[in-house]
Amino acid sequence: MRVEIWSDIACPWCYVGKARFEKALDAFPHRDEVEVVHRSFELDPGRAKGDIQPVLTMLTKKYGMSEAQAQAGEENLGTQAAAEGLEYRTRGRDHGNTFDMHRLLHLAKEHGRQDELIGLFYRANFAEERSVFGDDERLVELAVAAGLAEDDVRRVLADPSAYADEVRADEREAAELGANGVPFFVLDRAYGVSGAQPAEVFTQALAQAWGDRPQLTLIQDGGAGADGAEACGPDGCAVPQN
């Protein structure tokens, strides 16, 4: 079974939602048969790479709230994150363009290191003091820590077109699926879960999606025998006897 997660590194509920989903997934009986793929979704795609501002400033301008309201929201998020065992800096964080991080996540996908990298991006953005925005060296450091080759990472960052089409394709697909916010979880292209739902909701969704998977119907038994074609199995291959 495949679970696709549309998210953005700048999204605090994606950070919390990932932890809640993983709690459910870790307890799922078929955990080893579930493939998780992270998909790109930018909350602020029009923001220039060098346009970096404090989170509180972004929130007050974007949502028309007071600074006190924005800070209260951050405190609430800190509480929600702590409940999931996550660190969260409620003050002093900044906000910027995440396009390069999404491009690197597509590179990481090719090398089987996507989950490691997005986890490091989340932690760096929400729990650590050093910014992930406007600092290519910071992204190189995190990508290498996730297991990627430094030369590959620098090549992608130096070429704005590298994996750009893949990021845009993910975003178009999200729109086609009806996702207008993140996190957005799609299970086997049959079920969708929107938002950082409690772990219990993900537990239910995993069980339902697993149970509703289409079952293979054999047109004819493939085993060797009077009515079956020759086949190979754990005990070897059937050898025709003259």
Side-chain angles (χ1 to χ4, degrees):
M1 185 169 74
R2 169 180 280 202
V3 178
E4 297 162 279
I5 307 173
W6 272 264
S7 59
D8 191 13
I9 298 91
C11 165
W13 288 118
C14 296
Y15 179 47
V16 173
K18 181 176 186 291
R20 291 175 177 172
F21 169 75
E22 288 176 346
K23 184 181 294 184
L25 184 61
D26 286 344
F28 187 54
H30 308 286
R31 168 67 184 91
D32 293 340
E33 297 173 76
V34 178
E35 176 192 13
V36 178
V37 179
H38 296 280
R39 301 290 193 191
S40 299
F41 189 107
E42 295 172 277
L43 290 173
D44 205 351
R47 181 178 291 270
K49 182 175 180 177
D51 184 4
I52 303 165
Q53 62 184 169
V55 166
L56 292 187
T57 301
M58 180 274 293
L59 291 172
T60 57
K61 290 183 176 180
K62 186 172 183 177
Y63 299 107
M65 60 178 63
S66 68
E67 186 169 320
Q69 289 173 319
Q71 184 59 55
E74 284 294 284
E75 298 293 342
N76 176 57
L77 278 162
T79 300
Q80 299 273 355
E84 304 304 330
L86 302 172
E87 294 183 45
Y88 188 97
R89 294 177 65 232
T90 59
R91 298 177 184 273
R93 291 194 305 108
D94 57 8
H95 177 80
N97 180 284
T98 58
F99 188 58
D100 283 348
M101 284 181 271
H102 284 294
R103 296 194 300 117
L104 289 175
L105 284 168
H106 278 279
L107 170 67
K109 180 185 175 185
E110 290 187 351
H111 295 275
R113 309 302 295 175
Q114 196 183 39
D115 195 65
E116 289 81 1
L117 183 55
I118 198 168
L120 288 173
F121 280 162
Y122 278 143
R123 178 174 176 79
N125 185 39
F126 293 108
E128 298 177 0
E129 186 172 350
R130 185 178 169 190
S131 176
V132 295
F133 301 108
D135 183 357
D136 283 358
E137 290 305 311
R138 178 64 164 147
L139 299 186
V140 170
E141 174 187 299
L142 293 167
V144 170
L148 299 180
E150 182 175 340
D151 288 348
D152 290 342
V153 177
R154 292 190 181 279
R155 173 182 56 79
V156 170
L157 291 174
D159 179 6
S161 68
Y163 299 102
D165 289 344
E166 287 82 350
V167 174
R168 298 306 183 212
D170 277 358
E171 293 172 339
R172 286 194 302 272
E173 195 165 9
E176 292 167 0
L177 290 170
N180 52 19
V182 284
F184 188 71
F185 302 77
V186 176
L187 293 78
D188 254 6
R189 289 300 170 108
Y191 295 94
V193 178
S194 180
Q197 300 286 346
E200 294 78 12
V201 173
F202 291 118
T203 297
Q204 179 183 356
L206 286 166
Q208 186 166 352
W210 182 268
D212 288 349
R213 291 175 308 140
Q215 299 299 310
L216 181 68
T217 300
L218 289 176
I219 301 302
Q220 183 172 341
D221 186 357
D227 298 322
E230 289 78 9
C232 295
D235 298 324
C237 298
V239 178
Q241 302 294 320
N242 293 329

